[in-house]
mmCIF file of all heavy atoms in Angstrom:
data_model
loop_
_atom_site.group_PDB
_atom_site.id
_atom_site.type_symbol
_atom_site.label_atom_id
_atom_site.label_comp_id
_atom_site.label_asym_id
_atom_site.label_seq_id
_atom_site.Cartn_x
_atom_site.Cartn_y
_atom_site.Cartn_z
ATOM 1 N N LEU A 156 9.923 5.505 23.854
ATOM 2 C CA LEU A 156 10.011 4.549 22.876
ATOM 3 C C LEU A 156 11.405 3.809 22.969
ATOM 4 O O LEU A 156 12.371 4.376 23.541
ATOM 5 C CB LEU A 156 9.919 5.138 21.471
ATOM 6 C CG LEU A 156 8.570 5.751 21.063
ATOM 7 C CD1 LEU A 156 8.665 6.558 19.745
ATOM 8 C CD2 LEU A 156 7.408 4.690 20.925
ATOM 9 N N ASP A 157 11.495 2.659 22.379
ATOM 10 C CA ASP A 157 12.858 2.048 22.343
ATOM 11 C C ASP A 157 13.737 2.846 21.582
ATOM 12 O O ASP A 157 13.452 3.633 20.637
ATOM 13 C CB ASP A 157 12.672 0.629 21.613
ATOM 14 C CG ASP A 157 11.977 -0.373 22.455
ATOM 15 O OD1 ASP A 157 11.845 -0.201 23.711
ATOM 16 O OD2 ASP A 157 11.557 -1.389 22.029
ATOM 17 N N ALA A 158 15.093 2.851 21.908
ATOM 18 C CA ALA A 158 16.090 3.671 21.336
ATOM 19 C C ALA A 158 16.134 3.468 19.874
ATOM 20 O O ALA A 158 16.307 4.339 19.052
ATOM 21 C CB ALA A 158 17.489 3.440 21.975
ATOM 22 N N SER A 159 16.044 2.178 19.455
ATOM 23 C CA SER A 159 16.025 1.880 17.940
ATOM 24 C C SER A 159 14.881 2.464 17.263
ATOM 25 O O SER A 159 15.083 2.827 16.004
ATOM 26 C CB SER A 159 16.130 0.290 17.719
ATOM 27 O OG SER A 159 14.990 -0.298 18.300
ATOM 28 N N VAL A 160 13.707 2.491 17.850
ATOM 29 C CA VAL A 160 12.543 3.066 17.099
ATOM 30 C C VAL A 160 12.756 4.503 17.081
ATOM 31 O O VAL A 160 12.366 5.235 16.062
ATOM 32 C CB VAL A 160 11.323 2.699 17.972
ATOM 33 C CG1 VAL A 160 10.058 3.358 17.404
ATOM 34 C CG2 VAL A 160 11.088 1.255 17.928
ATOM 35 N N LYS A 161 13.202 5.245 18.139
ATOM 36 C CA LYS A 161 13.436 6.609 18.132
ATOM 37 C C LYS A 161 14.417 7.035 16.985
ATOM 38 O O LYS A 161 14.322 8.003 16.324
ATOM 39 C CB LYS A 161 13.960 7.085 19.426
ATOM 40 C CG LYS A 161 12.868 7.351 20.562
ATOM 41 C CD LYS A 161 13.428 7.995 21.720
ATOM 42 C CE LYS A 161 12.459 8.318 22.778
ATOM 43 N NZ LYS A 161 12.891 9.194 23.881
ATOM 44 N N SER A 162 15.495 6.118 16.841
ATOM 45 C CA SER A 162 16.467 6.413 15.871
ATOM 46 C C SER A 162 15.970 6.402 14.380
ATOM 47 O O SER A 162 16.185 7.117 13.585
ATOM 48 C CB SER A 162 17.657 5.418 16.018
ATOM 49 O OG SER A 162 18.356 5.561 17.190
ATOM 50 N N MET A 163 14.972 5.444 14.289
ATOM 51 C CA MET A 163 14.337 5.297 12.925
ATOM 52 C C MET A 163 13.552 6.431 12.714
ATOM 53 O O MET A 163 13.509 7.156 11.517
ATOM 54 C CB MET A 163 13.458 4.073 12.919
ATOM 55 C CG MET A 163 12.814 3.807 11.529
ATOM 56 S SD MET A 163 11.298 2.650 11.689
ATOM 57 C CE MET A 163 10.075 3.640 12.578
ATOM 58 N N TYR A 164 12.671 7.028 13.544
ATOM 59 C CA TYR A 164 11.917 8.192 13.278
ATOM 60 C C TYR A 164 12.852 9.431 13.069
ATOM 61 O O TYR A 164 12.508 10.181 12.127
ATOM 62 C CB TYR A 164 10.946 8.499 14.514
ATOM 63 C CG TYR A 164 9.725 7.774 14.656
ATOM 64 C CD1 TYR A 164 9.490 6.774 15.718
ATOM 65 C CD2 TYR A 164 8.679 7.877 13.848
ATOM 66 C CE1 TYR A 164 8.466 6.086 15.886
ATOM 67 C CE2 TYR A 164 7.613 7.101 13.818
ATOM 68 C CZ TYR A 164 7.461 6.261 14.929
ATOM 69 O OH TYR A 164 6.208 5.420 14.986
ATOM 70 N N GLU A 165 13.825 9.541 13.806
ATOM 71 C CA GLU A 165 14.697 10.704 13.741
ATOM 72 C C GLU A 165 15.464 10.598 12.339
ATOM 73 O O GLU A 165 15.658 11.574 11.626
ATOM 74 C CB GLU A 165 15.713 10.828 14.788
ATOM 75 C CG GLU A 165 16.629 12.037 14.505
ATOM 76 C CD GLU A 165 17.640 12.149 15.751
ATOM 77 O OE1 GLU A 165 17.557 11.501 16.772
ATOM 78 O OE2 GLU A 165 18.531 13.125 15.681
ATOM 79 N N ALA A 166 15.797 9.317 11.973
ATOM 80 C CA ALA A 166 16.465 9.125 10.619
ATOM 81 C C ALA A 166 15.528 9.570 9.520
ATOM 82 O O ALA A 166 16.129 10.135 8.434
ATOM 83 C CB ALA A 166 16.895 7.707 10.425
ATOM 84 N N ASN A 223 21.126 4.818 10.356
ATOM 85 C CA ASN A 223 20.015 4.402 11.203
ATOM 86 C C ASN A 223 18.845 3.888 10.499
ATOM 87 O O ASN A 223 17.862 3.384 11.073
ATOM 88 C CB ASN A 223 19.489 5.526 12.117
ATOM 89 C CG ASN A 223 20.563 5.969 13.111
ATOM 90 O OD1 ASN A 223 20.676 5.244 14.195
ATOM 91 N ND2 ASN A 223 21.318 6.936 12.857
#
Side-chain angles (χ1 to χ4, degrees):
L156 296 171
D157 289 343
S159 61
V160 176
K161 282 192 175 186
S162 294
M163 181 196 69
Y164 281 116
E165 182 174 356
N223 291 280

